[in-house]
Structure formats: C-alpha cells, structure tokens
Amino acid sequence: MSTDSAAPPSDERPPDTMALAYEHVREAILRGKLKPGAWISQVKLAADVKVSRTPLREALRRLQTEGLVQLDFNRRVRVSPLSIPDLETLYSMRLATEPLAVMLSVPQLTVEEIGSLEAALAATNGAAAKGDEEGATEHHRTFHFQLFSHTENRLRAQVESMWDHSVRYLRIYHNAPSYRLALIAMGRTGHEEIFQAAQARDARRTSRLVAEHLARTALTVLASVAGAHDPKMIRESLRFVLESAD
C-alpha cells in the first residue's frame, strides 16, 4: 500500500492549551476585564477562552496559587477581590524581595544590558511625555525587570508576579490613565538615580534606591485610595530593608 500521500512529519508542536488559557485569563484579571470578586462558571469561561475544561482547570489551579482566583466546590471561579490590607501586604512583600533581587543581579549586568536599561528609561520618559500610558507602563516594567534579570528563576518569577499584581491594583483603583502616568512621572528622578547606581555596578546603593522608590509609590497609592489607613507595614518593611543594607 502506497504511503506517498501521508502527511510529512512536522516539527511544529500542538499549542499548549493550558498555557494559552492561563495567559488569557491572567491578562483579563490583571487588566480588570474580569472584575474583582466576580463569580464565573468554568463552563462559560472555557467557552470564552475556547479551550476544554481540563486545560482550563489546570490554568485555574495555577492562577489560584498566584492568588488571582478562588475556586469553590461547585467548580465556580471567583476573581480574587481587592482590599487595602492586601495591597499594603503586596507592596511590603515587594519591599522585602525586589531590593534583594536587584542587589544580587546588578553586579552581573553586562554593558549591553546597561544600554538596554538606559534605553528603557528614555523610552519610559518619552512615552510619559506623549501621554502614552500603555507605552510608558510597558517601558517602565522593562526598566525594572532588567535590574533583577540575573536573579535565580524562582525569586525573579515571584518579583515579576508581584509587580503585575501591583499594576492590577492601580488599573482598578485608578481607572484614569492620567493617574498612572503621573505616578511614573513622579518617579523620574528616582529612576535616574537608580540607573546611575546600576551603571556604576553599585549593588547596595541600587538596592536601597529601589526600596525607597517602592516605598514612595506604595505610600502615594495607599494615601490616594485610603487616606485614613495607617501604612505601618510599609514603614516597617522599608526600615527593615534599609537597616539590612547598611
């Protein structure tokens, strides 16, 4: 029997439907398309994402470990709600980990990576000046992620995840892009100082500046959404980090 008509073997792998579902749902949550506290049936979600239930369940379990969804016994999905205590805890955790990741990574940055850092900073400022909030946010993210790019995978992934969760809070608590642009513009001097310290491969100074930058952002955001809240955890986290860096 002839096999001439058989399809040639392909090097292309079938798409990873679990990963596709994970990215789709995660992006919808982080951007606020799936509202905090909303209950969604897995059947509807599978239809919306266009995947079967099995890869969707795997994706949801992964999102559950990130704290983005909650699952109940009836197989419903609840988008994790937002709260001021959770926001403060999130920034405090970033204060405890991101400066460490930066301190470990900065001495390993190559000349090319320092160039990329400078380019990301210039692109951030340029996009902010044009009122391009999406562009400024993406370049701002690139700038900070480059600072801890040489960190061990587990720590780097944790820091990146917390960064994205912080942006989710900003997008939902401050729906107007102008506020997020103002927040980026407010940090311009701090970013310049962080870049100069990283360029000099001064790991401790870069780490300290990143901690102070994070604390200023956290205190500004918390004051804007809950002025009566006492951000004691942020102050204690910053004190702990700065004392450890001395």
Side-chain angles (χ1 to χ4, degrees), residues 218-232:
L219 293 172
T220 300
V221 173
L222 284 165
S224 69
V225 298
H229 177 76
D230 178 17
K232 180 180 179 180

Side-chain angles (χ1 to χ4, degrees), residues 12-26:
E12 293 185 6
R13 295 182 178 181
D16 184 340
T17 52
M18 188 283 286
L20 291 175
Y22 167 79
E23 293 294 342
H24 182 99
V25 178
R26 186 176 191 271

Side-chain angles (χ1 to χ4, degrees), residues 55-218:
L56 177 65
R57 281 196 297 270
E58 293 173 356
L60 291 174
R61 280 194 290 269
R62 184 174 172 187
L63 291 166
Q64 186 179 29
T65 64
E66 281 191 45
L68 288 175
V69 301
Q70 301 167 351
L71 307 179
D72 74 355
F73 293 111
N74 295 319
R75 296 187 177 180
R76 291 188 306 167
V77 183
R78 187 188 189 204
V79 180
S80 294
L82 304 183
S83 72
I84 297 304
D86 182 58
L87 175 58
E88 184 176 9
T89 299
L90 176 61
Y91 269 111
S92 296
M93 290 171 64
R94 285 185 63 187
L95 270 165
T97 54
E98 193 166 331
L100 171 63
V102 168
M103 186 169 66
L104 295 172
S105 179
V106 161
Q108 303 179 64
L109 291 173
T110 65
V111 173
E112 291 76 16
E113 287 167 340
I114 291 294
S116 297
L117 197 64
E118 186 174 25
L121 180 56
T124 300
N125 295 337
K130 295 176 184 176
D132 176 9
E133 187 266 337
E134 285 290 334
T137 298
E138 187 58 33
H139 293 306
H140 182 221
R141 185 178 191 270
T142 300
F143 174 80
H144 279 277
F145 279 27
Q146 183 72 77
L147 288 168
F148 53 80
S149 57
H150 285 278
T151 310
E152 183 272 334
N153 289 343
R154 185 185 294 274
L155 178 57
R156 186 176 69 250
Q158 184 69 18
V159 175
E160 289 177 354
S161 177
M162 288 190 291
W163 174 281
D164 290 339
H165 287 229
S166 300
V167 173
R168 176 194 180 214
Y169 266 96
L170 281 177
R171 284 189 171 123
I172 294 171
Y173 278 168
H174 289 287
N175 194 37
S178 58
Y179 179 87
R180 299 191 294 274
L181 273 170
L183 204 59
I184 291 173
M186 181 189 78
R188 181 167 183 167
T189 299
H191 289 143
E192 295 286 354
E193 292 176 343
I194 289 168
F195 169 71
Q196 291 166 10
Q199 187 178 39
R201 305 304 196 284
D202 188 337
R204 288 193 174 275
R205 176 167 170 74
T206 310
S207 174
R208 184 185 186 95
L209 289 169
V210 166
E212 292 171 345
H213 173 69
L214 281 173
R216 278 194 301 271
T217 301

